[in-house]
């Protein structure tokens, strides 16, 4: 019989330590609580509710994911392109179970997702697979995504609205970054945490004044 191939995980990524998860959830929840009380947000409320005038409680609107993490490679148990090659990289094998600090530099809210943008260091970029930024991106958005620096998709999903999958966070983040690059930012509001900008169709981007750091462990995950 042939030796059994090692099984590939659902994905690889940096996982926040449990105490860090709590800290980040609290800090980001505070932002959500403030956001839905802002006049600027209320003006565009129908993009979340489908109706003007109706209120939304963003804390209830988004469901928390199980483990906060920043995906590096979605492997889908080997079904995703390049999964095996990624798992066999020396840098991947060497990084497993190692601690690392992530830097969250922005928060994003759309009618679909709530997420944190992660700015990767040069060392962390070595674990970022080439071509991963454009995985599953709509053809119309591809040229603008290809013009963004590698690693632009790096994020932590903090919540999804009903029926939405976490993969949406990276896609919405790329769309926002592409719109910013084209100079399509609308209303700007100064908040305690940083500057909030509106990018049409219910998309909000908060650039943090100070990055929020989080201790993590690099690991694989299988359900
Ligand atoms: O928030 P995320 O990065 O979005 O964390 C989850 C994780 O893998 C487990 O589902 C991400 N994910 C799911 N499908 C894909 C995909 N096709 N491409 C890239 N990332 C994906 C999801």
């Amino acid at each position: 019989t042939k030796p059994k191939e090692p099984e590939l995980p659902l994905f690889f990524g940096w996982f926040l330590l449990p105490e860090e998860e709590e800290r980040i959830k609290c800090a980001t929840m505070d932002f959500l609580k403030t956001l839905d009380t802002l006049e600027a947000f209320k003006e565009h409320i129908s993009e979340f509710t489908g109706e003007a005038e109706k209120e939304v409680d963003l804390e209830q609107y988004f469901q928390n994911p199980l483990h906060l993490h920043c995906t590096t490679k979605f492997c889908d148990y080997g079904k995703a392109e390049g999964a095996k090659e990624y798992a066999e990289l020396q840098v991947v094998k060497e990084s497993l179970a190692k601690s690392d600090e992530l830097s969250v530099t922005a928060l994003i809210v759309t009618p679909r997702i709530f997420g944190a943008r992660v700015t990767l260091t040069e060392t962390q970029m070595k674990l970022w697979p080439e071509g991963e930024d454009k995985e599953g991106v709509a053809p119309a958005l591809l040229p603008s995504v290809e013009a963004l620096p590698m690693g632009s998709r790096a994020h932590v999903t903090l919540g999804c609205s009903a029926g939405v999958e976490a993969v949406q966070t990276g896609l919405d983040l790329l769309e926002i970054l592409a719109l910013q690059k084209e100079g399509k930012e609308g209303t700007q509001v100064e908040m305690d945490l940083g500057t909030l900008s509106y990018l049409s169709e219910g998309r909000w981007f908060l650039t943090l004044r100070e990055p929020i750091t989080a201790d993590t462990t690099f690991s694989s995950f299988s359900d």
Side-chain angles (χ1 to χ4, degrees):
T1 55
K2 267 200 329 196
K4 213 173 156 224
E5 289 260 346
E7 276 168 37
L8 290 161
L10 181 60
F11 67 97
F12 287 89
W14 293 282
F15 289 78
L16 276 76
L17 306 186
E19 63 273 23
E20 294 288 83
E21 256 190 359
E22 277 319 299
R23 191 171 57 83
I24 302 291
K25 276 186 192 165
C26 286
T28 57
M29 269 303 166
D30 278 346
F31 163 65
L32 276 194
K33 274 190 222 165
T34 315
L35 181 62
D36 62 23
T37 64
L38 295 181
E39 278 315 312
F41 182 82
K42 287 186 187 164
E43 272 173 38
H44 299 284
I45 199 89
S46 63
E47 288 151 17
F48 281 77
T49 58
E51 291 168 55
E53 307 302 322
K54 212 171 151 193
E55 290 198 358
V56 65
D57 178 350
L58 289 178
E59 270 185 285
Q60 303 286 318
Y61 185 86
F62 294 115
Q63 273 116 55
N64 270 331
L66 280 180
H67 301 286
L68 295 190
H69 66 270
C70 174
T71 307
T72 53
K73 174 69 187 170
F74 179 70
C75 294
D76 202 9
Y77 306 108
K79 289 196 284 276
E81 209 188 307
K84 188 163 178 280
E85 291 75 7
Y86 182 82
E88 285 170 357
L89 288 176
Q90 194 61 26
V91 64
V92 169
K93 290 193 225 162
E94 279 169 5
S95 303
L96 285 171
K98 293 247 169 76
S99 313
D100 207 344
E101 191 187 75
L102 286 187
S103 176
V104 169
T105 52
L107 298 178
I108 64 169
V109 173
T110 75
R112 297 162 295 281
I113 57 85
F114 174 35
R117 181 188 193 188
V118 173
T119 300
L120 301 175
T121 62
E122 255 176 69
T123 315
Q124 290 166 347
M125 281 298 296
K126 297 199 165 78
L127 287 165
W128 194 258
E130 209 181 318
E132 200 61 14
D133 285 315
K134 47 184 191 195
E135 222 20 74
V137 167
L141 195 67
L142 262 184
S144 0
V145 167
E146 281 166 347
L148 294 170
M150 210 170 130
S152 290
R153 187 174 181 155
H155 67 275
V156 176
T157 298
L158 299 168
C160 294
S161 64
V164 173
E165 304 277 356
V167 63
Q168 196 61 45
T169 311
L171 299 172
D172 282 7
L173 172 59
L174 290 172
E175 207 169 64
I176 288 177
L177 296 176
L179 287 166
Q180 278 181 333
K181 218 178 159 186
E182 290 165 29
K184 296 223 174 99
E185 260 163 318
T187 327
Q188 298 218 337
V189 183
E190 287 304 323
M191 296 179 72
D192 289 346
L193 281 172
T195 308
L196 178 73
S197 347
Y198 176 65
L199 291 124
S200 76
E201 296 174 28
R203 291 174 284 227
W204 297 88
F205 187 89
L206 177 80
T207 309
L208 294 170
R209 228 179 291 285
E210 294 284 336
I212 302 175
T213 56
D215 289 321
T216 67
T217 307
F218 184 73
S219 151
S220 63
F221 181 90
S222 297
D223 213 356

